[in-house]
Structure formats: C-alpha cells, structure tokens
C-alpha cells in the first residue's frame, strides 16, 4: 500500500505551518545509490575504520551534530561503552543509561492496528529544529519521483546519527508499514557509504512508542550477526527466505542492485498480513550477504530486509536488561544499567529475546499462511 494521494497523483496535504515548512530538501537520483564496494574494513591497528562519507552521510551528520550542539536532544550523547558478548552469535552490547531513563514512554496502545489519535503525541508537534531535511527522489528521473519523507532527529538517540523517517505528518498515518516510506528509508541505506547505517520499523506491540508512522535510521560502527546469518528459501521463486541463524528466526527478503521495489512490496504485503492478524512485528534493513546456508563467501552484497513476527507486548518491561525491538533482534543490545553491561551473557540475552518470540507451532503455521499469500 502506498501513501494516500490527491486526484492529480501528488502526495496528500502538507501542514504549511508545521515541520514541513522550512526544512531544506535532499533530493537524489539512482546514480547516488551506492550498491557495490561498501564493506567493513580494518585499519593497521585492527580497529574498524569509518569509510569516506557520502553526500548523504555528510548532510545527515552535519545537521545532526548541529542539533546536538543546540541542545535539541534529551541528553548529550558521548562515546558509548560497547563490547561484544562472548559466544557464537557476536551480540553487540552497548551502555546507554540516559536513553533508558529519559526516552519517551510508550503510548497507551492495545492493538497492532490502533487508529491514529491526534490527542496523543505525534510528529505534527515536533519543533522545527528537529527536522534535518526532506528526503526525496528527484521528480521526473525515477518512477514515483517526488515521494518524500521528513528526516527528523530522535530526541532520545540510540547512537550518533539516530533519525526518524516520517512521511507527511499532516496525514495522521498510524504505525502501519507502507511501501513508499519503506522504499525511501531503504534507499537511504544505499545513499550511505557506511556499512553500519541501518533502518528499521517497530509495529505497535513491537515496542513502537508513538502511533504515528515512522521508521528508524542509525549508525553503529559494528557488524551485526543478522548481516551474515544463514537462511533457506521458503518458496521456489526465492522471494522469501527463512532466517535460521542470528538471534531470532525471521523472514528474509533480499535485494541485489538498486531496484528495491520487489523486496519492499514483499515485506509490506507480509507486514499487512501480520497486522491484520494482530501479530506484532519488527523490521531491520541492512547491507548483508545474499541468502544461503552458509551465505556464499565473496558473493556480491545487497540489502537484507529481515521481518520478525513476535509476541505483542505493550508498555515497558520494567527490570529487563533491554526491551526487545528492531535493533535487539538484529543483535544490537542497548543496555540501561552499568551492571547489565558488565554482567550480561549471551545466554541471558537470548533467553530474554526468545521470551518475546512466537511459539514454534504458531510460527510454523504462519510460514504456511505466508507462502499461500505470496502465491
């Protein structure tokens, strides 16, 4: 499903005095998408080195840094202590005490398909300075040119560069995944030359804290297990794969090259089916290896879209080391306390993640339903 449009085919109404009004534009064409040569590299010291930033990385980083200096975030983000938990998965633990203490409390939600409520916080209420730019394809140069999203700071950031991709706020869209916003957010991964820039989506019941359509994007200078986790095809045409490795089983869609449309449509079709059945879900989009068991070494990398159905949970799980959402299912664990950062083991982390997954028999039934849906 795409965004609502006017009779002339243009996107729906804007809010002239709202966050759209003064934001600069960042337009791009297909030639700006970097589909090859982006990979993890180590310097002479053995440490991962940041690659040369792209035009997108430079624009996002500079604008995000200015907002941090201007005090528009809930806390000042410094260098976060980070360690890889011992164990075969390589889970990345990161201490972010202030996010645990100061992030916005999830809204009162009781359904994955709950309607948008203008009486609760929404992105029409953000300060103009929180908007970095409008991200859009250049009109006339791409099919669907002119589609756009706001790129907005997350005021309680996971890491430096943590942003939200928000389609036209005045439309009042609930937190249900749509094709155009996902396509723009996924293309932002290809606009970046940093292999650690990822995007994702949390449904209601999957730890989304605001019922107003948005996706996340952020940088993490560490490889994650979901990038290379093994998978097996679920249908003979190779449209959807079962991700068997990594922290949690999920559904893998893969795109090689700049055309992300088939993968995006497949993801959104499955996400709509999950929402219709009141099944909460999380999505993570990252550069990664092609599907396989194991993935073929040296094969051209592409974009992995990993969609996890999970048990619905509403509100914060008090006392837990972390709340299970898109980054945790991918293997990045933002922790709330120094004690958890020091003591957490892979086994304990996996126990918490598994407690949020669907029972195996329900997951197996869902696989069969989704194959019928795709056929």
């Amino acid at each position: 499903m795409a965004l609502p449009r006017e009779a002339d085919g243009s996107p729906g109404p804007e809010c002239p005095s709202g966050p759209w009004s003064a934001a600069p534009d960042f337009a791009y064409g297909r030639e700006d998408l970097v589909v090859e040569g982006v990979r993890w590299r180590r310097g002479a010291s053995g440490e991962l080195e940041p690659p040369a930033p792209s035009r997108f990385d430079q624009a996002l980083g500079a604008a995000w840094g200015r907002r941090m200096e201007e005090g528009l975030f809930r806390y000042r983000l410094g260098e976060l202590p980070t360690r890889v938990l011992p164990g075969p998965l390589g889970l990345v633990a990161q201490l972010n005490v202030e996010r645990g203490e100061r992030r916005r409390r999830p809204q009162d939600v009781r359904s994955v398909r709950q309607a948008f409520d203008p009486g609760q916080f929404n992105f029409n209420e953000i300060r103009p300075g929180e908007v970095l730019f409008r991200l859009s394809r250049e009109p006339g140069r791409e099919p669907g040119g002119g589609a756009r999203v706001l790129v907005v700071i997350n005021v309680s950031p996971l890491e430096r560069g943590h942003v939200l991709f928000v389609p036209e706020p005045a439309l009042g869209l609930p937190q249900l995944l749509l094709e155009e916003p996902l396509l723009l957010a996924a293309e932002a991964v290809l606009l970046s030359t940093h292999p650690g820039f990822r995007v994702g989506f949390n449904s209601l019941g999957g730890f989304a804290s605001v019922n107003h359509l948005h996706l996340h994007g952020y940088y993490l200078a560490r490889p994650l297990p979901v990038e290379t986790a093994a998978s097996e095809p679920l249908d003979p045409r190779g449209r959807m794969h079962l991700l068997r490795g990594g922290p949690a089983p999920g559904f893998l869609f893969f795109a090689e090259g700049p055309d992300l449309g088939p993968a995006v449509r497949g993801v959104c079709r499955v996400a709509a089916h999950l929402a219709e059945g009141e099944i909460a879900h999380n999505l993570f989009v990252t550069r990664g290896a092609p599907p396989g068991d194991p993935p073929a070494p040296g094969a051209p990398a592409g974009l992995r879209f990993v969609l996890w159905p999970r048990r619905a949970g509403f509100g914060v799980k008090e006392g837990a080391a972390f709340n299970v959402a898109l980054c945790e299912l991918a293997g990045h664990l933002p922790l709330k306390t120094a004690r958890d950062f020091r003591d957490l083991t892979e086994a304990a982390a996996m126990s918490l993640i598994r407690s949020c997954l669907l029972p195996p028999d329900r997951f197996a039934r869902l696989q069969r339903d989704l194959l019928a849906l795709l056929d």
Side-chain angles (χ1 to χ4, degrees), residues 234-237 239-240 251 269-270 273 364-375:
L234 284 176
D235 73 298
R237 293 169 58 185
R239 293 164 296 178
M240 186 171 70
F251 300 112
R269 193 173 182 186
V270 170
H273 180 84
R365 290 198 304 272
L366 181 60
Q367 286 184 56
R368 296 192 291 271
D369 293 343
L370 294 181
L371 285 176
L373 177 73
L374 291 178
D375 288 339

Side-chain angles (χ1 to χ4, degrees), residues 55-85:
R55 181 171 69 95
F56 172 82
D57 296 320
Q58 291 173 340
L60 190 154
W64 196 95
R66 285 195 299 271
R67 272 55 171 193
M68 181 62 72
E69 294 302 318
E70 292 165 3
L72 293 181
F73 293 83
R74 294 191 172 193
Y75 47 88
R76 190 170 184 84
L77 192 71
E79 189 75 21
L80 297 174
T82 305
R83 73 184 183 97
V84 177
L85 300 185

Side-chain angles (χ1 to χ4, degrees), residues 31 60 75 113 145 215-216 219 227 232 244 258 265 283 302 347:
E31 71 277 4
L60 190 154
Y75 47 88
R113 296 180 295 154
L215 294 94
H216 292 262
Y219 294 87
E227 296 172 16
E232 61 187 43
R244 294 192 295 101
R265 288 190 292 274
L283 172 70

Side-chain angles (χ1 to χ4, degrees), residues 19 41 60 86-87 98 100 106 132 176 194 241 259 267 294 318 342:
R41 294 182 175 88
L60 190 154
E98 290 185 295
L132 303 186
L176 294 168
H194 196 306
H241 303 257
D259 183 9
V267 168
E318 300 293 350
R342 183 188 68 234

Side-chain angles (χ1 to χ4, degrees), residues 70-119:
E70 292 165 3
L72 293 181
F73 293 83
R74 294 191 172 193
Y75 47 88
R76 190 170 184 84
L77 192 71
E79 189 75 21
L80 297 174
T82 305
R83 73 184 183 97
V84 177
L85 300 185
L89 287 175
L91 302 178
V92 178
Q94 195 168 52
L95 180 61
N96 193 335
V97 174
E98 290 185 295
R99 176 174 167 83
E101 294 175 346
R102 302 191 187 186
R103 67 168 298 177
R104 180 176 287 109
R105 302 285 294 185
Q107 292 177 354
D108 183 19
V109 171
R110 289 293 176 266
S111 168
V112 176
R113 296 180 295 154
Q114 188 154 313
F116 173 77
D117 180 358

Side-chain angles (χ1 to χ4, degrees), residues 34-40 190 195 227-228 254-258 260 286-291 295-304:
V34 184
V35 297
E36 297 179 353
V38 177
R39 57 180 57 90
W40 294 103
L190 296 183
E227 296 172 16
T228 54
F254 185 75
E256 184 179 338
L260 308 183
T286 182
R287 293 183 188 266
L303 233 55
R304 285 186 159 209

